Amino acid sequence: MIHDSNDAGFPDELPTDRNEAEAKANAARTPDNQPTDPATPHEEVLHRRRIRSFVTRACRVSTGQRRAMDELGPRFVVPFTPEQPDWNSIFGREAPRVLEIGFGMGATTAEIASHRPGNDFLGVEVHEPGVGALLKLMGEQALTNIRIIQHDAVEVLEQMIAPDSLDGVHIFFPDPWHKARHHKRRLIQPKFVALLASRLKPGAYLHCATDWQNYAEQMLEVLGGEPSLQNTVDDYAPRPDYRPVTKFERRGLRLGHGVWDLVFRKR
């Protein structure tokens, strides 16, 4: 994913031309051409601004990924809907539920789900090859405790996830936007974290990981600044056993690069 942020701290799309910029400005006005009331709840403002947590790119879907999407998608891909579905019915049981935002090609998601069969995992990813790759892994490993939503994570959180309903959230290696002028585009921002925290049950956890030290420092500051969250350690956590080391992470560690895990719990 590529993430951006608006002044409310949520990811946003960038205007591509003058007409689009004017359209966005008009969308922030009421029907009688008055500016939006600054007291309007942020969910409504975000909806009008058509907030997105990504910029899509054209990516090739392999034959195996397309086959997995055709054969397994109808069972395991949940269409976005602006209402809260019956998740117990969708998963076919009542079990602890973990949300993963931006699962990439799905290898980590599949490995965690295979080792935690008593948990249900809801993965949110916008890029089609990643969706196809995870479905392919699910078919190969006969995994049935994963569901996928191919949509903007902000809208999924706002409209499909009930407050105080999640047992955990995973955000592993989000785009670091390493240039200082792009730090405002990072996913982990105060308003977004507040939204995440509102969907966690008391005692549930939020686990982030990054291989960029500057982003780790920002994550620590932002998560530590959310009143409803509490760090499980003094600063950075040891990598939990359930999070596998990826091949890219292993290569980076061999080169002396750091990886930082942060695990917070909702008070």
Side-chain angles (χ1 to χ4, degrees):
M1 281 189 190
I2 297 176
H3 302 286
D4 193 11
S5 299
N6 64 6
D7 55 358
F10 281 87
D12 196 0
E13 286 186 318
L14 297 176
T16 57
D17 55 32
R18 181 177 178 181
N19 289 339
E20 184 175 346
E22 291 175 353
K24 286 180 179 289
N26 290 336
R29 291 179 173 270
T30 61
D32 59 354
N33 202 37
Q34 295 301 310
T36 301
D37 182 350
T40 301
H42 70 266
E43 290 87 354
E44 297 180 19
V45 175
L46 289 171
H47 179 70
R48 281 198 292 272
R49 292 178 179 176
R50 297 184 57 79
I51 301 304
R52 296 291 183 266
S53 61
F54 57 89
V55 175
T56 55
R57 291 193 181 107
C59 298
R60 178 181 176 275
V61 178
S62 72
T63 301
Q65 292 166 358
R66 177 61 63 191
R67 183 182 303 113
M69 294 177 72
D70 292 341
E71 295 177 358
L72 300 177
R75 179 180 178 187
F76 295 114
V77 176
V78 180
F80 172 78
T81 178
E83 59 186 17
Q84 295 170 11
D86 182 349
W87 290 110
N88 291 340
S89 176
I90 288 174
F91 279 97
R93 65 177 182 175
E94 183 175 357
R97 191 165 302 124
V98 177
L99 174 73
E100 181 172 3
I101 296 176
F103 55 74
M105 300 306 284
T108 294
T109 308
E111 185 167 346
I112 293 175
S114 69
H115 288 101
R116 292 168 60 176
N119 292 172
D120 289 335
F121 294 88
L122 178 61
V124 179
E125 177 60 66
V126 296
H127 296 295
E128 199 170 39
V131 172
L134 179 53
L135 286 168
K136 186 172 181 290
L137 290 170
M138 291 169 63
E140 293 168 350
Q141 301 177 35
L143 298 173
T144 60
N145 60 333
I146 300 173
R147 297 295 184 274
I148 298 169
I149 302 179
Q150 188 179 352
H151 197 75
D152 174 13
V154 172
E155 293 186 354
V156 171
L157 282 163
E158 288 178 346
Q159 301 186 51
M160 296 186 71
I161 307 298
D164 302 319
S165 65
L166 295 173
D167 294 272
V169 172
H170 296 167
I171 305 177
F172 298 150
F173 305 101
D175 193 325
W177 288 101
H178 59 280
K179 294 183 179 180
R181 67 177 182 271
H182 293 156
H183 286 182
K184 65 180 181 179
R185 301 185 182 184
R186 289 173 169 174
L187 179 64
I188 303 301
Q189 304 285 354
K191 295 294 184 181
F192 182 69
V193 169
L195 176 61
L196 283 174
S198 73
R199 270 46 181 174
L200 290 171
K201 296 177 181 177
Y205 71 93
L206 169 58
H207 181 185
C208 299
T210 181
D211 55 359
W212 282 84
Q213 182 174 358
N214 178 270
Y215 199 3
E217 293 167 353
Q218 178 180 329
M219 287 179 173
L220 186 63
E221 179 180 356
V222 171
L223 297 177
E226 168 52 46
S228 66
L229 296 178
Q230 182 175 17
N231 201 342
T232 59
V233 295
D234 289 337
D235 42 42
Y236 303 109
R239 178 182 61 84
D241 291 339
Y242 63 77
R243 185 180 74 76
V245 178
T246 69
K247 63 179 181 179
F248 300 104
E249 182 181 355
R250 190 174 293 110
R251 183 176 63 185
L253 291 171
R254 286 199 303 268
L255 296 173
H257 300 166
V259 175
W260 293 265
D261 286 83
L262 301 94
V263 182
F264 281 68
R265 290 197 179 274
K266 187 169 181 181
R267 302 177 189 273

